[in-house]
Amino acid sequence: MAKTRNPLNDVTARLRRPLLLTWAGLIAERLVRAFWPVWSLLAGAAALVMLGVQDMVSVEAVWTGLMLGGLALVVFALRGASRFHFPTRSEALARLDATLPGRPLAALADTQAVGAQDVGSQALWRAHQDRMAVRAAQAKAVEPDLRLSRQDPFGLRYVALLGLVVALLFGSVWRAGSVAEMVPGAGRGAALASGPTWEGWIEPPAYTGLPSLYLADQSGVIEVPEGSEITLRFYGEVGALSLSETVSGRAGDVPLATGTEQEFSIAQDGEMRIDGPGGRSWQVEAIADSAPRVAVLESEAKTAFDGQMSQPFEARDDYGVVAGGAVFELDMDRIDRRYGLSAEPEPREAIRLDLPMPLAGDRSDFTETLIENLSEHPWAHLPVTLRLRVEDAAGQEGLSELVEMKLPARRFFNPMAAAVIEQRRDLLWSRDNAARVAQVLRAVSYQPREGLFRSEKAYLRLRVILRQLEAGIDSDGLSGNERDEIAQALWDLGVLLEDGDVGDALERMRAAQERLSEAMKNDASEEEIARLMQELRDATQDYLRQKMQQAQRDDPENSGDQQSAENMMQMNQQDLQDMMDRIQELMEQGRFAEAQQALEEFQQMMENMQVTQGQGQQGQSPGQQAMEGLAETLREQQGLSDQAFRDLQEQFNPGAQSGQSQGNEGQSGGEGRGQSHDGQPGQGGQGGQQQGQGGEGQERAEDGQGGQGAEGELADRQEALRRELERQRQGLPGLGGEAGEAARESLERAERSMQGAEEALRNDDLAGAIDDQADAMEALREGMRNMGEAMAEQQNPGGQGQQDGPPGQAQADPLGREAGQGRRAGTQDNLLQGEDVYRRARDLLDEIRRRSGEGDRPDVELDYLERLLDRF
């Protein structure tokens, strides 16, 4: 019987290449799994050597590491060798066959066991093997599985590989030679041939910023800071070189003088010497680190009008100051223990502030300013002591001399505001003063119509605070949180009384004049004087605008030109500005008596003056009409605010409104139709008293008809007024520049405040509505003021000044001369006469410089200004 041919041999002959690659993959897979600890250990050791770790540790540590590493390498190698065995051909064939569908290689190796004598069965078997042979011919090499996540769950192989990559990038292969030098006897011959050598460094403390010194380059006397580190290394035969030093002050367990490495710090002056071949000696002088110093510059201290303290100081240190602080402590011995301060004060910690340090530059000698606002602190204006503390990098501290002073804080010139702030201080001094504070506040708020309060809003706030204070006293006493809450409310009230929330322009102007007068009497600072003077200027401008609009309403045809001049004074705005400039100049020169007299004359003049109208008033411009409409809106808003306040007063004190408000009903237009606060008759009435009575009767009749919907009616009127303001804002004439944009923003803010007041009225929140209405009125005033400035800029785009006086009134040129008469272009008067010649010349030069910097001026004018500057 003929021998049958095995078809597997034919197939494997064709699959020789895939089978060989699969077998190689099996070898690599088993090598990696068996010996991955070996190559990981080698990679880690190579990384450490190339990075020079052996140079940073002792020789013993290097030898210990080498021994442990070698032992671990042997163990891992033996373990891997025991686990590794070469794969056989049958294993490679089984791996390749496992990747094919139906395992065709195994099928080809099989023999027919059943039906071998049957012709049909043999044909079927041959067909099956032919099909398996076709499948086997498609076999491809199998990739090895080199994943080691099971054998290395912590990824140690990746750590070793990363270390090797870092060492190749930043290390050096040549550093491996230093390991060989650590072998006993290695390199000894070369060292003995060249003789013993040494090297050393002196490293000053890092905070000094001084460079390191190489000892071999130094000779004679070495001056270094205390705490400097000295490092010495001896090479060659051990014992050939030794160290002798008296600079470290070391005692007790001192290393051997012949040790190959020496490290110590410089603590004192002394000598350092290396004995042996090539030895050297040095005299070392230790420079002590002096403590920092700080001083308070009392003469340059300033306090702004808002109470912000600016306290300059100077600090010094040989290597630089790193931090500092200021401590304010209450000086009980200098306190006048009277009135609210007679009680024992509650314990309170000292005020501690951090001193500002220069952000850049040298900190060894600098001057800085401590800026802080302590106006709300309970010790405001009380005697305190100030001490500054600074610290250097070595931890040494320096203290300034103790400075006695009063804690800088904001000053209040309004008498009522000053009284409220004083009671706030007494309450914060001790809660035992609560009953006395309540009694004083009730006394000063008695009969508020006598001029103590210019704002009904402020009076209402005081009454609410008083009720809260008395309620806390009647209970178990004020708690700390309740006391602090009331103190904050008193502070807000004092600021409101000082800054003012006055309803009309005349009252605002009077308030500004009174505050300025009080400031002059109390020797206020220049910043406070300047701020109050600016408030007076703004209030005066608002008052002039109100008077002009009032004159137009009373006599739109003649605009007041035919009025008698017996009790009226006619002045233009430039004259008023000159008068206020003169007042400010007198105050700056310290002539307060003359400034006070001029201020009184100014106040009397403003209350009796008539604002002159220029030409062209027969027909109002769109801007003037818009100003008129905004003024009417402001009066109506004032009337709504007054009505809301009366309703709120009625809630707190039922039945008292009729007695207290007799003179106020209808003012500022109880419903927008009454008498203005300056005493001039408004629309719809003949006089103040008649207007007040008529307004009161009408309001009482309306209350009788439907008192239940009072807040709803006020809300409807507020909504109508807001819509009217929206219409006026959308119909404003085109106003350019910053002033025009500011006017629009102010009117938008007023509209939002009106909307808030409307919502508060609908929610029966009268107090909140009054606050929003006050904000709306203030925004309206600011918008009208900005609008007036924008209109003035449009009328005088060149900035050369505007003729504010009546037609024909003589105007002075920029040099102070009167205009020429007739056809003359000049005047015969001498230039710059008077006592302010140099001041006037300086002002002229500043004005020329200002105008030359305005790029929108014509080129011809700019060239002329440049020639003036070049000449003068």
Side-chain angles (χ1 to χ4, degrees):
M1 181 177 180
K3 184 178 180 180
T4 60
R5 183 179 179 182
N6 189 358
L8 180 61
N9 295 330
D10 299 336
V11 173
T12 54
R14 293 194 300 269
L15 297 179
R16 182 175 301 171
R17 177 180 175 81
L19 188 61
L20 180 62
L21 293 177
T22 303
W23 179 72
L26 283 173
I27 295 176
E29 179 180 319
R30 294 180 180 182
L31 283 174
V32 168
R33 293 182 179 180
F35 295 102
W36 72 267
V38 175
W39 59 258
S40 297
L41 181 61
L42 292 175
L48 294 176
V49 171
M50 284 189 289
L51 289 175
V53 177
Q54 68 277 5
D55 298 332
M56 305 177 188
V57 297
S58 61
V59 178
E60 292 77 7
V62 174
W63 276 104
T64 302
L66 289 175
M67 294 178 61
L68 293 178
L71 181 61
L73 185 64
V74 171
V75 171
F76 291 147
L78 293 177
R79 182 171 174 269
S82 64
R83 291 186 176 185
F84 176 78
H85 64 278
F86 276 95
T88 62
R89 182 175 181 274
S90 60
E91 291 176 340
L93 191 65
R95 170 67 68 87
L96 184 64
D97 190 26
T99 60
L100 299 174
R103 289 186 174 269
L105 296 178
L108 292 174
D110 292 340
T111 58
Q112 185 177 5
V114 179
Q117 305 300 326
D118 186 18
V119 177
S121 177
Q122 291 179 358
L124 179 62
W125 178 254
R126 286 194 298 271
H128 171 65
Q129 286 190 330
D130 292 341
R131 186 166 60 251
M132 292 297 104
V134 173
R135 290 185 181 179
Q138 300 175 356
K140 296 181 180 180
V142 181
E143 295 181 358
D145 184 9
L146 302 179
R147 291 175 295 180
L148 298 174
S149 55
R150 287 188 177 182
Q151 289 78 11
D152 183 18
F154 300 104
L156 298 179
R157 64 192 185 282
Y158 294 125
V159 175
L161 182 61
L162 177 61
L164 181 61
V165 172
V166 172
L168 291 174
L169 292 176
F170 303 103
S172 175
V173 179
W174 303 109
R175 289 189 176 182
S178 61
V179 179
E181 297 178 358
M182 297 181 181
V183 179
R188 184 176 180 181
L192 292 175
S194 61
T197 58
W198 60 268
E199 61 179 350
W201 302 268
I202 300 179
E203 297 183 4
Y207 67 83
T208 63
L210 298 177
S212 299
L213 301 178
Y214 190 59
L215 274 177
D217 298 336
Q218 309 300 317
S219 61
V221 179
I222 304 177
E223 296 182 353
V224 290
E226 285 185 0
S228 299
E229 294 287 337
I230 294 182
T231 302
L232 288 171
R233 288 184 180 176
F234 297 155
Y235 305 106
E237 185 177 358
V238 177
L241 298 174
S242 62
L243 171 68
S244 175
E245 55 87 12
T246 59
V247 296
S248 65
R250 294 179 294 179
D253 188 10
V254 180
L256 293 176
T258 57
T260 57
E261 290 189 6
Q262 301 282 344
E263 293 183 357
F264 54 91
S265 300
I266 296 178
Q268 60 190 15
D269 298 343
E271 183 184 8
M272 184 173 61
R273 185 176 68 254
I274 298 178
D275 299 323
R280 297 269 297 275
S281 65
W282 302 270
Q283 191 68 29
V284 179
E285 293 184 1
I287 302 175
D289 187 355
S290 60
R293 292 168 292 172
V294 61
V296 180
L297 303 179
E298 299 181 61
S299 59
E300 301 180 14
K302 295 181 180 179
T303 303
F305 68 90
D306 60 348
Q308 180 172 275
M309 169 192 65
S310 298
Q311 179 60 66
F313 67 93
E314 59 181 4
R316 297 185 182 88
D317 186 65
D318 41 10
Y319 300 114
V321 177
V322 297
V327 179
F328 292 89
E329 294 184 343
L330 192 62
D331 192 352
M332 296 295 296
D333 296 335
R334 294 192 297 125
I335 295 179
D336 186 5
R337 302 293 297 275
R338 295 187 300 169
Y339 309 117
L341 302 181
S342 60
E344 285 300 319
E346 296 181 4
R348 194 175 294 274
E349 295 183 357
I351 303 174
R352 301 183 183 275
L353 305 175
D354 293 332
L355 290 180
M357 295 287 116
L359 297 179
D362 188 13
R363 291 189 179 184
S364 59
D365 188 356
F366 64 91
T367 300
E368 274 289 345
T369 302
L370 173 63
I371 299 177
E372 191 69 29
N373 196 327
L374 302 174
S375 299
E376 297 188 41
H377 197 273
W379 297 347
H381 297 297
L382 291 179
V384 295
T385 57
L386 170 62
R387 188 187 293 275
L388 303 184
R389 176 192 58 82
V390 291
E391 180 181 348
D392 62 7
Q396 302 179 101
E397 289 189 354
L399 300 177
S400 68
E401 295 292 336
L402 203 62
V403 177
E404 295 182 351
M405 61 189 304
K406 289 187 176 180
L407 188 65
R410 175 173 180 172
R411 300 179 65 183
F412 291 83
F413 301 104
N414 182 281
M416 190 64 198
V420 170
I421 296 301
E422 181 180 355
Q423 297 310 306
R424 172 184 179 272
R425 181 204 64 187
D426 294 346
L427 185 61
L428 291 173
W429 179 265
S430 175
R431 277 175 282 181
D432 296 338
N433 290 330
R436 179 182 178 278
V437 170
Q439 184 179 8
V440 173
L441 291 179
R442 183 168 291 279
V444 299
S445 62
Y446 179 67
Q447 292 184 353
R449 295 300 174 187
E450 294 184 357
L452 290 177
F453 293 90
R454 299 187 184 93
S455 170
E456 295 175 341
K457 176 182 176 181
Y459 171 72
L460 178 61
R461 282 193 179 184
L462 178 59
R463 301 301 293 183
V464 171
I465 295 172
L466 186 57
R467 286 178 179 268
Q468 183 179 0
L469 178 58
E470 292 176 342
I473 296 173
D474 294 340
S475 59
D476 296 336
L478 286 177
S479 63
N481 293 334
E482 291 176 343
R483 187 266 311 274
D484 295 340
E485 181 180 352
I486 294 175
Q488 184 61 45
L490 287 173
W491 173 264
D492 296 337
L493 176 60
V495 173
L496 175 62
L497 290 169
E498 176 71 15
D499 294 342
D501 189 18
V502 187
D504 56 55
L506 178 59
E507 288 297 328
R508 292 180 65 239
M509 186 180 66
R510 287 173 177 170
Q513 291 170 351
E514 292 179 6
R515 284 198 296 271
L516 182 58
S517 178
E518 288 292 331
M520 288 190 293
K521 294 177 182 179
N522 294 306
D523 298 330
S525 63
E526 294 182 1
E527 291 81 0
E528 293 171 336
I529 293 290
R531 177 181 67 89
L532 296 174
M533 194 67 201
Q534 186 59 40
E535 288 184 3
L536 178 59
R537 292 177 186 272
D538 295 340
T540 302
Q541 186 177 359
D542 291 343
Y543 177 64
L544 289 175
R545 184 175 60 253
Q546 180 183 357
K547 294 285 289 183
M548 184 179 297
Q549 294 167 354
Q550 185 68 35
Q552 293 174 357
R553 290 194 303 269
D554 292 345
D555 194 356
E557 295 182 359
N558 298 325
S559 300
D561 289 341
Q562 306 299 327
Q563 294 290 338
S564 174
E566 296 179 357
N567 297 322
M568 296 290 182
M569 300 186 64
Q570 295 185 350
M571 300 182 68
N572 57 27
Q573 292 186 2
Q574 186 61 42
D575 294 331
L576 297 176
Q577 293 297 331
D578 293 341
M579 182 174 292
M580 285 189 287
D581 291 341
R582 181 59 178 170
I583 295 173
Q584 186 170 3
E585 181 181 351
L586 290 173
M587 289 187 294
E588 291 175 355
Q589 296 176 357
R591 299 154 64 180
F592 292 108
E594 299 178 30
Q596 181 67 28
Q597 183 179 359
L599 184 61
E600 293 175 358
E601 295 175 357
F602 175 78
Q603 180 176 359
Q604 182 179 4
M605 189 182 308
M606 290 299 298
E607 294 182 358
N608 297 322
M609 75 173 294
Q610 172 190 355
V611 179
T612 61
Q613 304 297 321
Q615 296 178 354
Q617 289 184 353
Q618 300 298 329
Q620 288 186 343
S621 65
Q624 292 173 337
Q625 294 176 0
M627 291 285 285
E628 177 70 16
L630 292 176
E632 183 65 25
T633 301
L634 178 59
R635 285 193 297 274
E636 293 182 3
Q637 182 61 74
Q638 180 66 61
L640 283 175
S641 180
D642 291 344
Q643 182 62 45
F645 178 77
R646 286 193 293 271
D647 291 348
L648 186 60
Q649 250 186 340
E650 182 66 23
Q651 290 182 5
F652 277 95
N653 193 9
Q657 179 177 348
S658 60
Q660 293 182 359
S661 304
Q662 283 290 340
N664 194 43
E665 291 287 350
Q667 284 190 351
S668 294
E671 295 182 7
R673 301 184 300 273
Q675 186 184 25
S676 64
H677 284 252
D678 56 0
Q680 299 296 333
Q683 295 178 353
Q686 301 297 329
Q689 187 66 24
Q690 295 176 2
Q691 287 287 352
Q693 294 174 358
E696 180 182 357
Q698 184 177 359
E699 291 165 2
R700 291 181 180 177
E702 292 175 356
D703 292 342
Q705 293 175 2
Q708 296 179 354
E711 285 77 6
E713 181 184 355
L714 287 177
D716 293 340
R717 289 165 56 191
Q718 185 67 71
E719 180 183 5
L721 190 60
R722 177 183 59 81
R723 292 179 178 177
E724 175 64 18
L725 177 60
E726 181 181 4
R727 184 193 64 78
Q728 293 173 348
R729 181 174 57 82
Q730 294 175 354
L732 286 179
L735 299 175
E738 296 182 359
E741 185 64 26
R744 293 186 182 89
E745 292 178 357
S746 299
L747 295 182
E748 291 178 0
R749 190 167 66 252
E751 187 177 340
R752 291 193 297 268
S753 298
M754 287 184 179
Q755 185 174 5
E758 175 190 343
E759 295 176 356
L761 288 171
R762 297 194 186 280
N763 295 329
D764 295 337
D765 183 10
L766 291 175
I770 292 173
D771 290 340
D772 290 333
Q773 288 170 343
D775 295 339
M777 288 186 290
E778 184 62 29
L780 277 173
R781 294 190 192 97
E782 183 178 352
M784 294 171 66
R785 183 164 54 249
N786 294 329
M787 187 175 175
E789 295 176 0
M791 292 170 60
E793 292 177 0
Q794 283 188 347
Q795 295 174 3
N796 186 23
Q800 299 296 334
Q802 183 179 355
Q803 303 296 335
D804 295 321
Q809 181 175 346
Q811 299 293 330
D813 65 2
L815 297 179
R817 302 173 296 181
E818 296 296 330
Q821 300 294 329
R823 309 182 77 179
R824 290 184 298 171
T827 177
Q828 301 299 326
D829 296 336
N830 293 330
L831 296 178
L832 297 176
Q833 292 183 345
E835 59 181 357
D836 296 328
V837 175
Y838 297 102
R839 177 182 176 86
R840 184 63 174 168
R842 185 171 63 253
D843 293 343
L844 285 172
L845 186 59
D846 293 341
E847 179 65 18
I848 292 174
R849 288 172 177 165
R850 184 187 67 80
R851 295 187 181 186
S852 64
E854 296 177 357
D856 56 348
R857 292 183 177 275
D859 295 337
V860 177
E861 182 181 356
L862 291 176
D863 293 339
Y864 173 70
L865 294 173
E866 289 294 334
R867 290 197 301 272
L868 287 177
L869 289 175
D870 293 338
R871 182 174 181 181
F872 298 103

